[in-house]
Amino acid sequence: MADDNAQGRIPTVIADDVHIVYRVNGAGGGRGSATAALSRMVRRGKGEPRGVRKVHAVRGVSFTAYRGEAIGLIGTNGSGKSTLLRAIAGLLPTESGHVYTDGQPSLLGVNAALMSDLTGERNVVLGGLAMGMTQAEIRSRYQEIVDFSGINEKGDFITLPMRTYSSGMAARLRFSIAAAKNHDVLMIDEALATGDRKFRIRSEERIRELRKEAGTVFLVSHNNKSIRDTCDRALWLEKGELLMDGPTEEVLKAYERETGK
């Protein structure tokens, strides 16, 4: 296990036998009115209403993350990686088990909400405020954020509404805003997959800096090279279960042998 040499290290995230279950409404056709649904529930009494399907997305996952670690989450689509990050961030309740965190977790994903009708400039301000930065901190780091994102390299895009950005430009700006602040726990969900090579190199270097500041970084990516270049530890999830937890190269080699990816 990756925790064998844990003595003297400071835990930042503890997942203790975490189970996460989604409840999905089944196909109900034209009889799906709220009144009809309530009537069915009353008729059935206690228990799950008819037509609700359970999806057991995370199954008994346990691990401990420590300050200064960068941890890659790998697995095929639907393996539970993003769901687990959302639970660590406090955005999803656990069905059973517990998640303990030291400090404030921050989740950055390609779908992280910035306001598409506002300019990139305004979103830098709003994103910084949402992360707890002061107006003065945002002003002092504003140009650094814009330069890091690279979105102005081919024009003054920072003054345009974000709805005019490509998905890659928007993802780079989101990462740049998040990376402007040191985090206790930063979780990155595929945000590096949309950037060009220059941006990925900058991003990987910034992740290493965040680790040096005693933070913990989780990275979800289907790009094994990004995981290798950035992370010293990897968690391999499949069908919601933690199959392997250990040094990055060891886990990735096993994953690649099994999946051919």
Side-chain angles (χ1 to χ4, degrees):
M1 292 293 291
D3 295 346
D4 287 347
N5 299 315
Q7 187 174 2
R9 301 165 71 192
I10 300 174
T12 54
V13 176
I14 299 173
D16 180 16
D17 194 24
V18 171
H19 291 259
I20 300 170
V21 176
Y22 289 111
R23 287 166 175 79
V24 182
N25 289 324
R31 303 194 178 200
S33 70
T35 302
L38 179 59
S39 298
R40 290 194 295 272
M41 291 173 68
V42 170
R43 286 198 302 270
R44 285 176 60 81
K46 293 183 179 180
E48 296 291 343
R50 186 177 301 163
V52 172
R53 182 167 60 95
K54 287 185 177 182
V55 178
H56 204 154
V58 173
R59 301 169 178 265
V61 170
S62 297
F63 67 87
T64 302
Y66 297 91
R67 284 189 185 175
E69 282 192 315
I71 301 173
L73 269 66
I74 62 173
T76 55
N77 288 335
S79 59
K81 305 182 298 295
S82 298
T83 298
L84 181 60
L85 287 194
R86 288 174 61 80
I88 294 171
L91 301 176
L92 279 179
T94 61
E95 185 80 1
S96 63
H98 300 279
V99 176
Y100 306 95
T101 60
D102 178 28
Q104 179 61 48
S106 302
L107 175 61
L108 171 68
V110 293
N111 295 318
L114 293 180
M115 302 189 72
S116 62
D117 286 336
L118 297 184
T119 65
E121 184 176 26
R122 290 298 300 158
N123 273 297
V124 170
V125 174
L126 291 176
L129 291 173
M131 290 194 306
M133 296 169 66
T134 66
Q135 291 272 9
E137 287 173 327
I138 295 168
R139 283 195 298 270
S140 69
R141 299 178 190 179
Y142 172 80
Q143 195 58 50
E144 176 187 339
I145 292 169
V146 175
D147 292 344
F148 190 98
S149 72
I151 64 172
N152 265 10
E153 290 177 355
K154 296 183 180 179
D156 193 20
F157 284 99
I158 197 68
T159 62
L160 297 178
M162 278 197 65
R163 66 172 180 269
T164 66
Y165 293 8
S166 68
S167 60
M169 289 170 62
R172 294 201 305 272
L173 185 59
R174 290 185 186 102
F175 180 87
S176 302
I177 295 168
K181 179 179 183 290
N182 290 332
H183 298 266
D184 300 315
V185 178
L186 177 62
M187 294 168 286
I188 305 166
D189 191 353
E190 290 291 1
L192 304 188
T194 56
D196 58 19
R197 183 173 181 276
K198 281 183 7 182
F199 181 75
R200 284 198 299 273
I201 291 171
R202 288 201 300 271
S203 301
E204 290 162 3
E205 178 57 33
R206 179 57 182 141
I207 289 172
R208 285 188 281 272
E209 291 173 3
L210 288 168
R211 290 172 57 193
K212 290 176 185 174
E213 295 296 327
T216 304
V217 178
F218 289 88
L219 174 63
V220 170
S221 179
H222 290 289
N223 185 331
N224 291 355
K225 186 176 187 307
S226 288
I227 298 288
R228 279 190 166 94
D229 291 346
T230 309
C231 303
D232 49 359
R233 176 181 171 191
L235 308 180
W236 176 12
L237 276 73
E238 287 298 341
K239 297 180 180 178
E241 296 181 354
L242 181 58
L243 296 189
M244 195 171 181
D245 172 3
T248 297
E249 191 61 29
E250 181 181 321
V251 176
L252 275 175
K253 282 183 176 178
Y255 173 69
E256 290 164 348
R257 281 196 304 269
E258 181 70 23
T259 64
K261 295 184 178 182

